[in-house]
Amino acid sequence: MANGGPVEHGYPHLDTVRAAITALYRRLSYDTIHTFATSMAPADVAFCDTDDLHLGAQRVARELVRHFRLPDARMIVSFREMEHAANVELAAGPEYFIELNDRFRTHRRDIGAALAHEVMHVYLHRLDLSFPGTRDNEILTDTATTYLGAGWLLLDAYREDAASSQKLGYLTPEEFGYVLAKRSLVFGEDPATWFTSPQAYTAYTKGMTRARHDERQPPLTAAGWAGRRRYAKDRRHAQDHVVAATGAAGAADVPYAFTPDAPGAQDAPGGRGPLRVSFPCPTCHQRIRVPVRGRVRARCGLCRTVLECDT
């Protein structure tokens, strides 16, 4: 929790965020992901200063349990002085004890955001889905919270001006915006009207720009002229050298890679052989591998997105 301190910006955790989206699709399946097509409603987590602190926190926790479909889980919420925003004890259940930072006694509108992250810890614990290391596991939790419909609360808790700042979660504001935009593009849901923080709205628009950029990478037909030109150059290089592991002459700043179509392809007459190109699905980021032969329509087996490609 950034409380008055500097707030990190940009996309330093983007690779882990994308890996988390892929992991969600693999663990939950396309059908389960789509049961979360409707986000947590602002009214369900509304918390005003006249509400009883503990009863209100319990009510919001119950709504989050309902949203994440954990009917046999009971959240017991308390408050204490602590360094982090919140903490949950991941026991066998059905009762889970969540502690919130004393700060939320007077910042009640952000209680829903703090609880969303902790309830997601319980959800992932029951799924037995985790990443190695505390940092990556927390990034997975933030990403899952957002992609499954409650993370807009975490982004809305971000506020920053010349005199003060507040941010919850491990993702940067722009990364929260990116995951929220990814969700919006899948479900056709616009969360922009829910934000009470103008800084959160700005971060969401930046995240949407980055998410749209994923959809315009070659070999997708929506790629821009510059990307298509570089792709054609890299494809020629791969055909001439029949590289075994990576296209683009080993470049690390492009998402696609060329590989021989089959063992022994490098022995084809003239040194050329059939190629395949692999690239990340712009929706779930699982890598897709298709033949290099011009216009191709590919369907991601994980998220079922149909992709128009020009290989």
Side-chain angles (χ1 to χ4, degrees):
M1 176 175 66
N3 179 15
V7 174
E8 186 177 24
H9 288 276
Y11 302 91
H13 316 111
L14 194 57
D15 288 344
T16 309
V17 167
R18 288 168 171 167
I21 294 174
T22 307
L24 278 177
Y25 272 96
R26 286 178 177 162
R27 185 66 182 85
L28 292 178
S29 81
Y30 168 89
D31 291 328
T32 302
I33 290 282
H34 278 253
T35 63
F36 292 94
T38 302
S39 285
M40 194 83 194
D44 291 339
V45 291
F47 204 131
C48 66
D49 291 339
T50 58
D51 290 341
D52 180 273
L53 177 65
H54 291 88
L55 291 178
Q58 294 292 154
R59 174 184 58 80
V60 173
R62 284 195 301 271
E63 290 296 332
L64 286 159
V65 165
R66 179 194 59 79
H67 176 78
F68 290 126
R69 295 165 180 79
L70 294 167
D72 58 337
R74 296 190 298 274
M75 307 296 160
I76 312 301
V77 183
S78 61
F79 297 80
R80 72 173 177 87
E81 291 187 11
M82 55 196 300
E83 179 184 356
H84 299 290
N87 180 64
V88 63
E89 181 182 329
L90 293 175
E95 289 187 340
Y96 298 88
F97 294 90
I98 298 177
E99 296 176 318
L100 297 183
N101 192 301
D102 263 341
R103 170 185 174 83
F104 294 111
R105 291 179 181 272
T106 55
H107 291 75
R108 299 185 180 187
R109 74 188 226 185
D110 298 322
I111 284 178
L115 286 175
H117 180 93
E118 301 310 315
V119 174
M120 178 52 65
H121 268 304
V122 174
Y123 184 83
L124 295 175
H125 175 68
R126 290 191 170 190
L127 283 177
D128 194 25
L129 176 59
S130 64
F131 280 179
T134 300
R135 169 189 169 276
D136 286 0
N137 203 53
E138 293 291 350
I139 291 170
L140 168 65
T141 305
D142 277 343
T143 302
T145 307
T146 306
Y147 205 83
L148 298 183
W152 69 267
L153 293 163
L154 285 159
L155 179 54
D156 196 40
Y158 161 56
R159 291 179 285 278
E160 187 174 18
D161 56 36
S164 63
S165 65
Q166 174 185 281
K167 186 189 76 70
L168 303 182
Y170 284 71
L171 300 185
T172 68
E174 293 78 15
E175 287 169 340
F176 271 120
Y178 173 81
V179 181
L180 198 56
K182 287 286 190 181
R183 171 186 168 80
S184 178
L185 293 171
V186 169
F187 297 117
E189 185 182 66
D190 183 8
T193 58
W194 303 335
F195 293 128
T196 61
S197 164
Q199 292 84 12
Y201 177 78
T202 299
Y204 171 63
T205 59
K206 290 180 179 179
M208 178 62 80
T209 299
R210 190 63 179 251
R212 290 285 191 189
H213 180 70
D214 291 348
E215 299 180 333
R216 300 186 180 114
Q217 292 294 303
L220 301 174
T221 56
W225 176 83
R228 295 295 312 160
R229 183 175 182 180
R230 178 169 184 178
Y231 176 85
K233 177 183 177 182
D234 294 337
R235 181 181 58 203
R236 286 194 301 271
H237 181 275
Q239 288 171 333
D240 289 342
H241 296 81
V242 195
V243 290
T246 178
D253 59 341
V254 294
Y256 50 83
F258 297 99
T259 55
D261 187 40
Q266 65 271 23
D267 299 325
R272 292 172 179 261
L275 288 176
R276 284 181 175 264
V277 61
S278 65
F279 60 95
C281 169
T283 299
C284 69
H285 297 285
Q286 175 177 257
R287 291 197 75 83
I288 297 170
R289 191 166 178 257
V290 297
V292 175
R293 63 182 185 201
R295 289 271 180 166
V296 175
R297 176 174 288 179
R299 183 174 183 267
C300 178
L302 192 58
C303 68
R304 304 184 187 178
T305 303
V306 177
L307 304 169
E308 298 290 341
C309 310
D310 186 356
T311 61

